[in-house]
Amino acid sequence: NVPVTAVISRINYGPQEKVTVTFGDGSQKQISSQEIEEYVSESGNPANEKDVLLVDIELPVLENLPTIRLVDTPGIGSVWKHNTETTTSWFPETGAVMFVISAEKPISENELNLLQEIYQYSPEIIIVLSKADLFAEDHLQQMEQFTTEVLYKHFNKRFPLVRHSSFEATSAYNQVIVEKVLLPLATNRDAIFNDILQYKMNSLVNSCLSYLEIAYQASR
């Protein structure tokens, strides 16, 4: 419920639990998991006054996903502008993207624009329909169908879509995400990484060509 501050949190496998805070000046500090909130939440670190660059979390529970790293960015569109700025500046670094939208309302124009920007950097996008516990099955199916059709019309591509709830049946939803999203990424990590890298290179080349065309036309 409380928006986080402008801090990127990265989570990956480690033989034992370990949390490392990296600050803007390059220094680092080891903290306990109970202290994380003091560095990433708006209440514990308002406007990132502690100048935290990254929080890296290593967890033994991720031993079946040793080849990938999960990255949690601040939310988009919060009352604090620095949250959005931190997230959008991370877009070029993205690999596969889990894009969370709410089942409360249809996908919005702002979300489509945000997805368009993300799609410049990665073709691997998974849509996560959150707050699934609030609605009946027929509503969820309608939302899934509507979202899939809108995205296909906009991108000419069908992105995978999964449900989630942080309130009800969370473990079951988590397991579906692990089996349908994370394990395939981890198992085929090198091939998917190379595809994403090639995609980024092509996108960069196309952007450069577009800029050169604009510059050429302007010079005329």
Side-chain angles (χ1 to χ4, degrees):
N1 292 330
V2 180
V4 297
T5 188
V7 174
I8 298 291
S9 300
R10 305 187 301 188
I11 309 168
N12 55 271
Y13 167 72
Q16 48 190 296
E17 185 176 296
K18 180 181 177 182
V19 183
T20 305
V21 180
T22 301
F23 298 93
D25 61 3
S27 62
Q28 293 185 325
K29 178 181 180 181
Q30 302 293 321
I31 64 171
S32 68
S33 57
Q34 288 75 28
E35 296 176 280
I36 293 176
E37 187 176 353
E38 298 177 20
Y39 295 87
V40 305
S41 71
E42 195 65 40
S43 58
N45 184 16
N48 196 19
E49 63 182 12
K50 297 178 182 178
D51 193 27
V52 177
L53 182 63
L54 291 166
V55 174
D56 285 298
I57 305 167
E58 297 181 17
L59 296 173
V61 72
L62 295 176
E63 61 182 344
N64 61 335
L65 301 169
T67 59
I68 62 174
R69 177 167 60 190
L70 306 175
V71 180
D72 181 32
T73 65
I76 293 290
S78 85
V79 67
W80 289 287
K81 185 180 179 182
H82 56 263
N83 285 0
T84 299
E85 291 174 344
T86 297
T87 299
T88 54
S89 68
W90 191 262
F91 286 169
E93 309 292 336
T94 54
V97 178
M98 297 178 66
F99 190 82
V100 182
I101 62 174
S102 173
E104 292 178 295
K105 57 185 185 299
I107 188 167
S108 68
E109 182 180 3
N110 287 338
E111 288 169 329
L112 282 175
N113 292 336
L114 187 61
L115 267 174
Q116 186 68 56
E117 188 173 354
I118 293 172
Y119 195 52
Q120 294 180 45
Y121 301 106
S122 177
E124 287 286 336
I125 296 176
I126 301 95
I127 306 300
V128 180
L129 196 65
S130 69
K131 303 183 182 179
D133 58 280
L134 297 180
F135 303 97
E137 179 64 24
D138 59 341
H139 174 91
L140 292 173
Q141 290 181 7
Q142 291 175 13
M143 279 294 300
E144 289 172 338
Q145 181 178 354
F146 177 82
T147 301
T148 300
E149 290 175 354
V150 168
L151 293 178
Y152 183 77
K153 182 178 180 180
H154 200 78
F155 296 95
N156 196 30
K157 182 176 180 177
R158 298 193 184 279
F159 298 114
L161 190 151
V162 294
R163 300 175 185 179
H164 197 266
S165 168
S166 297
F167 180 74
E168 186 177 282
T170 303
S171 296
Y173 285 121
N174 286 347
Q175 189 60 34
V176 170
I177 290 176
V178 168
E179 293 177 358
K180 290 189 176 182
V181 179
L182 300 182
L183 280 176
L185 287 173
T187 303
N188 304 295
R189 189 263 182 196
D190 290 343
I192 294 174
F193 178 86
N194 288 332
D195 288 344
I196 293 173
L197 185 60
Q198 185 64 53
Y199 184 91
K200 289 179 183 290
M201 293 172 64
N202 291 340
S203 180
L204 179 60
V205 169
N206 290 333
S207 296
C208 289
L209 290 174
S210 297
Y211 171 78
L212 290 173
E213 179 63 24
I214 292 172
Y216 173 67
Q217 294 298 335
S219 69
R220 298 183 64 188

